[in-house]
Amino acid sequence: AEELTLDETVQRPDKVFGQLREMLDFMAKMGGDGSVPPHLLTKYHDALLDGSAYDYVFAERRERAALEAQNAADDEEAEHAIRELEALERVDAFLRGYLSAERRRRSRATFEAILAATMEGPTAFDARMAALRAGGALDRNLDEYLDEVAGKAARAVAMLETSEAGPPPMSPLMRVVEIVQDRIKAEKTADLNPAIRIFAQCLALTESANRFQLLSDKLNTLDIAVELTNLVEASIDYLEPDADEEEGEDAAPPREEKSPEEQKKFEEAVEAIEAMGIDVAGAE
């Protein structure tokens, strides 16, 4: 898990750290084989899934136990601190196995939700990806799970006999995983504003009636409508041939030069949309 800086710990909800400290204090005193009772796993479930916070709090609690053992006033106090330290190590081993399985389960459920959305069409897929992004579900755990799925699919394909024509084609599962991974990368790296997202959704739709319905649903503020209009006009300008390449009476007049700021903004929008798997130049 990623390490937390002091500044990042201040930004996390106090409740997360408080719950983790409460649980580790209880388990250190309880001793035993390190197994955390089911009711505690349920109670502290969300806090435990914050892996970086757990790592921070565990390291903090282990250091405290080690210092207590080192600075003990007598042998009895030192033995007590050492028992707590050993109990913490057992609890940590148990929790890491539990959290690994739980994160994998959640990643599998997220992937299944994405697959279900792809069957419903581009609009549903975009909405699902936006919701997962907002909820923090497009995380490193999902990346690792998708890499695992892709690896298994690749190994299965590699086991097939190759013909003289070349290696076997990419399996449908590998292709789906690749599409989802590309989209997750776009969601993480492209901080899309509403106008860019609507523009991308329109490009992905082939029926004009569906585009009209999308615009009716999404254009709820004047600012978004104005920015979307600017993007559409800029895209038309972007796809038109240069005036000096046209000949004859139908040649278009020279286009008005964009400012560097406008050009940069449009190019970033095109890059963001293409990162979502949409060919801007090929869209109708």
Side-chain angles (χ1 to χ4, degrees), residues 136-155:
L138 306 182
D139 55 14
R140 188 175 62 181
N141 297 321
L142 180 59
D143 292 339
E144 292 174 353
Y145 176 76
L146 292 176
D147 287 342
E148 179 186 337
V149 172
K152 288 181 178 179
R155 287 191 293 274

Side-chain angles (χ1 to χ4, degrees), residues 18-130:
Q19 287 184 331
L20 291 173
R21 291 184 179 112
E22 180 181 78
M23 186 202 67
L24 289 177
D25 281 343
F26 176 81
M27 293 302 300
K29 291 179 172 58
M30 189 175 77
D33 62 0
S35 300
V36 180
H39 73 279
L40 292 184
L41 292 175
T42 300
K43 179 179 179 180
Y44 300 115
H45 180 269
D46 292 340
L48 284 168
L49 287 178
D50 190 337
S52 52
Y54 169 76
D55 286 346
Y56 182 90
V57 173
F58 175 75
E60 173 191 72
R61 184 63 181 84
R62 180 172 54 187
E63 182 179 2
R64 193 180 98 196
L67 287 174
E68 288 174 354
Q70 182 180 343
N71 300 324
D74 52 43
D75 290 344
E76 183 178 351
E77 190 173 314
E79 289 177 6
H80 175 76
I82 291 172
R83 283 196 300 271
E84 283 199 353
L85 184 58
E86 292 171 346
L88 284 170
E89 297 291 352
R90 292 192 294 271
V91 169
D92 181 59
F94 172 87
L95 285 176
R96 291 194 183 279
Y98 165 78
L99 292 175
S100 177
E102 183 65 10
R103 288 168 184 156
R104 190 177 187 282
R105 183 192 67 78
R106 290 185 60 161
S107 294
R108 182 174 63 248
T110 299
F111 182 45
E112 290 172 352
I114 292 172
L115 291 180
T118 63
M119 303 298 292
E120 299 174 23
T123 301
F125 179 61
D126 286 333
R128 179 61 55 84
M129 294 301 293

